[in-house]
Amino acid sequence: MWVYEKKLQYPVRVSKCDPTMAKFLIEQYGGADGELAAALRYMNQRYTVPNKIIGLLNDISTEELAHLEMIATMVYKLTKDCSPEQLKVAGLGDHYANHDKALFYQNASGVPWTAAYIAAKGDPIADLYEDIAAEEKARATYQWLIDLTDDVDLQDSLKYLREREIVHSLRFREAVEILKAEREAQKIF
């Protein structure tokens, strides 16, 4: 089903060690509006939508996994040369105590990821509106992350991710219109 290329979807570069920024980025790794939640939400929803949009949900879900890989790479690069003391000062001391520098699905505040983040109503239009909201929240978070760093290399990758959220939102909006037109065209006798 998938073909894995051993490269990131978009290059990730960082110009300096910055564990504080890594802490903020973890929001997009395991937060409610992060990449893991999005990938799993869309993959799950594809089983209850009309055939016309299964491919859309599968494609975007897969891309969200690629974005998760990019976020993981950013966090790794931002923390790989950090000492335990630097991690502690950045607010990652408890994370280090539990996981060393390994990634763990949690938000920036350290709250573990939960399946409660995944919305699935079973109504394709309701689910797509939820997906649009999720993409817009992720877009906003990426903008705030861009605002939190002066690393132009990191900003470049974050801007790419922000723009992909906009594209996903637009694609979900198109899918809503397709389903609404189909619903309105149905005749019940």
Side-chain angles (χ1 to χ4, degrees):
M1 179 173 198
W2 287 286
V3 175
Y4 178 67
E5 291 184 40
K6 293 184 179 188
K7 65 178 187 172
L8 295 174
Q9 183 181 16
Y10 188 84
V12 168
R13 293 179 302 277
V14 300
S15 62
K16 61 184 175 181
C17 174
D18 189 347
T20 301
M21 191 63 201
K23 181 182 187 314
F24 299 150
L25 282 168
I26 288 172
E27 185 66 32
Q28 287 302 88
Y29 192 72
D33 303 314
E35 302 295 352
L36 176 65
L40 295 177
R41 176 185 299 118
Y42 308 149
M43 188 62 70
N44 187 56
Q45 290 173 355
R46 71 184 291 272
Y47 293 99
T48 57
V49 297
N51 286 340
K52 289 182 176 186
I53 62 171
I54 287 173
L56 173 68
L57 286 165
N58 193 67
D59 291 349
I60 294 176
S61 173
T62 302
E63 186 173 348
E64 299 293 2
L65 290 173
H67 296 172
L68 187 69
E69 184 180 31
M70 289 176 65
I71 294 295
T73 302
M74 289 175 200
V75 172
Y76 167 77
K77 288 183 173 189
L78 289 166
T79 60
K80 70 179 177 139
D81 296 324
C82 288
S83 68
E85 184 58 32
Q86 288 173 300
L87 292 169
K88 183 179 172 184
V89 169
L92 290 170
D94 53 348
H95 178 92
Y96 181 78
N98 283 314
H99 310 287
D100 189 34
K101 292 182 186 177
L103 284 164
F104 182 75
Y105 294 110
Q106 65 187 37
N107 69 13
S109 299
V111 177
W113 184 89
T114 172
Y117 294 158
I118 299 176
K121 189 66 175 170
D123 177 272
I125 293 176
D127 284 343
L128 286 168
Y129 277 122
E130 177 69 32
D131 299 345
I132 293 165
E135 293 295 327
E136 292 298 334
K137 289 186 275 186
R139 176 202 48 79
T141 301
Y142 278 122
Q143 183 57 56
W144 298 326
L145 289 167
I146 291 164
D147 295 344
L148 285 168
T149 185
D150 60 356
D151 183 334
V152 294
D153 289 330
L154 183 59
Q155 284 177 342
D156 177 60
S157 297
L158 292 171
K159 287 176 183 177
Y160 173 82
L161 291 169
R162 180 194 61 201
E163 295 307 308
R164 294 307 301 160
E165 303 300 341
I166 293 168
V167 170
H168 295 167
S169 177
L170 292 172
R171 297 287 313 277
F172 286 138
R173 290 170 198 267
E174 291 167 3
V176 165
E177 294 308 314
I178 289 168
L179 295 182
K180 285 164 80 177
E182 186 176 275
R183 180 182 63 190
E184 291 167 7
Q186 292 179 353
K187 304 287 189 235
I188 299 174
F189 298 102

